[in-house]
Amino acid sequence: MALQSWLPVPKGSHFSLANLPFGIISNSKLRTPRPAIAIGEDALDLSDFAKNGGFSELPSIKDHIGVFSERSLNSFAALGRPVHREVRSYLQSILSIATPYPSLLKDNQALKESSILSLKDVTTHLPLEIGDYTDFFAGVNHAFNIGTLFRGPENALQPNYTHLPVAYHGRASSVVVSGTPIHRPYGQIIVDPAATPKVPTFTPCRRLDIELEMGMFVCKGNKMGKRIGVNSAEDSIFGYVLMNDWSARDVQMWEYVPLGPFNAKNFGTTISAWVVLADALEPFRVTGLENKTTLQEYLRQEQKESVFDIALEVDLTIMCLAKSMEAANGNTTTITRTNACNLLWSFPQMLAHHAVSGCTMRVGDLLGSGTISGTESGTQGSLLEQIQGGKVALKLNHGEERKFLQDGDTISIRGVAGQDENSLVGFGSCVGRIDPAIPF
């Protein structure tokens, strides 16, 4: 039976009582960003909740109550998964229709009057301060599809792909919260690939793409020189977000040899505003894609159900720049439907590999999964795959077509786990609009 709250939670809400994702909010009355949880169409302001004695029945958090007044979730994350679990369980009991703390709510009307805010009246911010951001390449279907475009199916995957989680270091300063516009980037591109010699042109990107990903935040680091064991790495995982790693494909083609992506990736990465705690996704564990390679011992994970059954969708909305980012007006096409289980490598494996050299991981570090694609048409997580490298156009509603993104296009990613519409565990949305390049 689904958990029920005394707060109204619409059927089909991503933010059921079974979820309670954490984020950072502000509003017109108090512009200082502070922690909150989302439930239904509301947010529970944890700073106000704490000041009004909301945690009085949870004495174990007494010495750490200040974490709910900070501008990010880093300090809360650093308390560790046992504390995250205890706080989330306590908040579920407070918000439950069958709460064991009826007197707390009855005698403290301020908890309801000032701590509960409508989501439509709050502004969301980056949930954590991100020190480092690393993007992996764990979506094997995407890797195969892209490799096939450039090297043929026989050589689609590089020889190392099934032996280790491939990744590149991204730019943490360019990670933005859902709703932040992304300016079309400039870069060097080769206009005529057949020309000899190849002479680049400096211009706004002409082949702007998306990458549908999941992101994971670290809550427990390691000292330099020490490793993180793959079978204990779950203790280092705070929670998960949706991610769009925007990609300038033409810039990437010219710059990536020999050291990999740089300006093609560093201009913007969008994440969803609400962090779904790792414990909230435990019921949705499934087995990932089979890796037939014999792995090095440090990557051998005992937990076979190491990824999550999360339904993912991507919408492309055509709109004028003057319109709201959320305004669809019938010009929205769902271009991708896939699932987060389409990964060859799990996040514990990514984390273990990242630290195996002795690399220091820190609270707030962000790891991306890489593009998540299925094997069927309409399940690919990038436009480059869907248009077969530019050979075909993507058909949109009302006769429109796209190969790559145009100015004014908006990408919205959604992700949700569960079948019971009264107890869904979802992420809300991860939204970004493409604005024109800033003139030099």
Side-chain angles (χ1 to χ4, degrees), residues 166-198:
V166 175
Y168 75 92
H169 287 287
R171 184 69 179 172
S173 63
S174 300
V175 179
V176 297
V177 73
S178 175
T180 307
I182 299 294
H183 283 282
R184 183 177 297 274
Y186 281 83
Q188 293 189 25
I189 69 172
I190 300 299
V191 176
D192 182 6
T196 302
K198 288 182 170 57

Side-chain angles (χ1 to χ4, degrees), residues 249-281:
R249 299 299 186 190
D250 43 6
V251 177
Q252 184 176 358
M253 283 301 297
W254 176 239
E255 75 175 7
Y256 84 101
V257 177
L259 296 181
F262 186 47
N263 286 329
K265 297 280 192 176
N266 68 11
F267 62 94
T269 299
T270 304
I271 64 171
S272 52
W274 298 98
V275 181
V276 175
L277 295 189
D279 277 11
L281 287 174

Side-chain angles (χ1 to χ4, degrees), residues 296-352:
Q296 299 291 331
E297 185 174 356
Y298 78 93
L299 289 171
R300 296 175 192 169
Q301 191 172 3
E302 294 173 0
Q303 171 67 268
K304 300 305 179 186
E305 295 180 334
S306 58
V307 296
F308 301 105
D309 180 7
I310 303 170
L312 300 170
E313 292 185 342
V314 181
D315 286 350
L316 194 164
T317 300
I318 298 173
M319 60 204 311
C320 297
L321 289 176
K323 294 181 180 178
S324 163
M325 292 184 69
E326 298 292 342
N329 293 331
N331 292 328
T332 295
T333 304
T334 300
I335 60 173
T336 298
R337 289 185 175 92
T338 188
N339 194 287
C341 68
N342 284 299
L343 295 175
L344 188 70
W345 299 99
S346 69
F347 277 102
Q349 287 175 314
M350 297 179 216
L351 191 54

Side-chain angles (χ1 to χ4, degrees), residues 357-372:
S357 63
C359 171
T360 303
M361 307 301 297
R362 294 176 292 193
V363 175
D365 283 355
L366 176 64
L367 274 60
S369 64
T371 307
I372 301 173

Side-chain angles (χ1 to χ4, degrees), residues 55 57-64 83 86:
F55 287 104
E57 299 292 338
L58 188 64
S60 61
I61 201 70
K62 178 181 177 181
D63 293 337
H64 307 290
V83 176
E86 188 176 21

Side-chain angles (χ1 to χ4, degrees), residues 2-234:
L3 297 171
Q4 288 185 294
S5 174
W6 46 265
L7 275 171
V9 179
K11 190 175 183 179
S13 171
H14 282 201
F15 305 140
S16 71
L17 191 56
N19 190 0
L20 300 190
F22 284 68
I24 297 293
I25 65 165
S26 62
N27 63 355
S28 59
K29 291 184 178 180
L30 184 57
R31 299 187 182 278
T32 303
R34 67 274 188 193
I37 57 169
I39 177 167
E41 296 177 340
D42 297 302
L44 177 64
D45 182 337
L46 294 179
S47 177
D48 189 83
F49 182 76
K51 290 175 183 177
N52 284 303
F55 287 104
S56 61
E57 299 292 338
L58 188 64
S60 61
I61 201 70
K62 178 181 177 181
D63 293 337
H64 307 290
I65 204 73
V67 302
F68 300 119
S69 296
E70 299 196 7
R71 291 172 173 262
S72 76
L73 294 172
N74 292 62
S75 292
F76 174 61
L79 295 178
R81 281 194 64 171
V83 176
H84 310 155
R85 184 177 303 121
E86 188 176 21
V87 170
R88 174 171 166 268
S89 178
Y90 175 76
L91 292 172
Q92 285 176 319
S93 67
I94 287 287
L95 295 168
S96 171
I97 198 170
T99 179
Y101 311 111
S103 60
L104 175 64
L105 297 172
K106 181 179 179 181
D107 299 337
N108 197 338
Q109 193 62 23
L111 290 180
K112 293 184 178 181
E113 292 179 350
S114 63
S115 299
I116 298 171
L117 309 170
S118 173
L119 284 175
K120 70 178 188 303
D121 295 330
V122 304
T123 299
T124 53
H125 305 268
L126 275 179
L128 286 91
E129 293 180 3
I130 304 168
D132 285 293
Y133 158 48
T134 302
D135 198 27
F136 283 83
F137 197 40
V140 65
N141 297 323
H142 170 75
F144 181 82
N145 292 340
I146 297 299
T148 298
L149 289 174
F150 298 108
R151 296 183 295 275
E154 297 80 9
N155 300 301
L157 297 180
Q158 298 286 5
N160 66 351
Y161 186 84
T162 62
H163 289 269
L164 56 85
V166 175
Y168 75 92
H169 287 287
R171 184 69 179 172
S173 63
S174 300
V175 179
V176 297
V177 73
S178 175
T180 307
I182 299 294
H183 283 282
R184 183 177 297 274
Y186 281 83
Q188 293 189 25
I189 69 172
I190 300 299
V191 176
D192 182 6
T196 302
K198 288 182 170 57
V199 178
T201 298
F202 183 70
T203 180
C205 164
R206 302 177 185 182
R207 295 165 66 90
L208 189 55
D209 200 356
I210 64 168
E211 290 196 350
L212 165 62
E213 304 192 24
M214 297 293 301
M216 180 272 281
F217 280 107
V218 172
C219 69
K220 180 182 178 183
N222 59 301
K223 293 182 179 180
M224 187 173 181
K226 300 291 185 179
R227 295 188 291 273
I228 297 175
V230 68
N231 292 309
S232 61
E234 291 283 357

